[in-house]
């Protein structure tokens, strides 16, 4: 299904989230030093994911309060809690859990939540979302220098 142009900025962010999960898994598979992977997760959270969650919650949540929104909010909090645990841990199971949950969360948004919004919301609401995102959204760039996953 073709994504509505007004939600595309968030879909583009999702590409970087999926890539983040892949990089973490590659690092774990290659048995890269735990602190390097942890530093990347914290970087990704602080520079990308936290802002992305805020945009979804402050913009999209205003248009449709339903079971999808409740699930998304719960998953955002779960991911945030795992990141908090990761910040003071070397438990690689948490890293793997983070990668898995992030990927599952993104897949749910792309395959179910966004299509639901596109089908449920009227064109003027989607256009307003697009304008609001355009005002605050910055395009993701993947500039993390420690390429531990290679």
């Amino acid at each position: 299904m073709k994504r509505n142009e007004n939600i595309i900025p968030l879909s583009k962010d999702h590409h970087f989230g999926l890539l983040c999960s892949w990089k973490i898994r590659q690092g774990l598979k290659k048995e890269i030093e735990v602190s390097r992977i942890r530093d990347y997760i914290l970087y990704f959270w602080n520079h990308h994911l936290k802002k992305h969650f805020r945009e979804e919650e402050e913009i999209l949540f205003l248009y449709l309060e339903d079971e999808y929104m409740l699930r998304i909010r719960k998953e955002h909090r779960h991911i945030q809690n795992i990141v908090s645990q990761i910040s003071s841990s070397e438990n690689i199971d948490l890293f793997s859990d983070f990668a898995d949950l992030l990927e599952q969360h993104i897949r749910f948004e792309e395959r179910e939540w966004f299509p639901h919004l596109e089908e449920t919301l009227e064109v003027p609401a989607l256009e307003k979302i697009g304008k609001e995102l355009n005002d605050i959204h910055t395009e993701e760039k993947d500039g993390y220098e420690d390429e531990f996953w290679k």
Side-chain angles (χ1 to χ4, degrees):
M1 177 176 165
K2 188 172 188 244
R3 181 68 56 232
N4 181 283
E5 66 182 313
N6 295 294
I7 303 175
I8 285 177
L10 296 173
S11 279
K12 286 183 177 180
D13 289 354
H14 287 162
H15 166 76
F16 288 98
L18 294 173
L19 198 54
C20 172
S21 293
W22 178 83
K23 290 173 181 179
I24 293 165
R25 289 187 186 109
Q26 288 297 110
L28 293 172
K29 187 169 118 181
K30 294 178 181 225
E31 298 181 353
I32 297 299
E33 184 181 334
V34 172
S35 63
R36 291 174 68 193
I37 301 171
R38 181 182 57 236
D39 289 348
Y40 174 68
I41 293 170
L42 297 176
Y43 164 84
F44 192 81
W45 169 255
N46 287 311
H47 291 88
H48 300 288
L49 203 52
K50 189 178 355 177
K51 182 175 85 53
H52 177 83
F53 285 3
R54 188 173 55 246
E55 289 175 1
E56 288 180 343
E57 292 177 11
E58 290 178 359
I59 295 174
L60 298 182
F61 283 13
L62 300 178
Y63 290 88
L64 196 59
E65 186 172 335
D66 59 11
E67 68 277 2
Y68 290 90
M69 188 266 310
L70 296 173
R71 175 177 170 171
I72 299 298
R73 177 175 281 144
K74 183 178 177 184
E75 289 178 4
H76 284 182
R77 296 303 156 260
H78 190 186
I79 291 169
Q80 182 179 10
N81 289 337
I82 288 176
V83 171
S84 292
Q85 293 172 45
I86 287 171
S87 68
S88 60
S89 175
E90 296 202 357
N91 180 350
I92 62 170
D93 290 339
L94 284 174
F95 298 6
S96 183
D97 289 349
F98 172 80
D100 292 345
L101 184 57
L102 181 59
E103 180 180 356
Q104 292 165 11
H105 174 74
I106 290 168
R107 300 277 185 217
F108 175 76
E109 286 190 354
E110 285 294 326
R111 293 175 181 163
E112 297 186 43
W113 188 42
F114 286 0
H116 173 69
L117 290 173
E118 292 165 336
E119 292 170 9
T120 306
L121 297 176
E122 300 290 329
V123 171
L126 289 166
E127 288 172 348
K128 189 170 181 196
I129 287 169
K131 182 184 178 326
E132 291 173 12
L133 282 173
N134 190 50
D135 289 345
I136 66 168
H137 188 79
T138 55
E139 190 172 327
E140 296 286 334
K141 292 188 176 31
D142 191 9
Y144 194 73
E145 292 191 14
D146 179 8
E147 297 179 333
F148 62 85
W149 54 87
K150 289 188 173 182

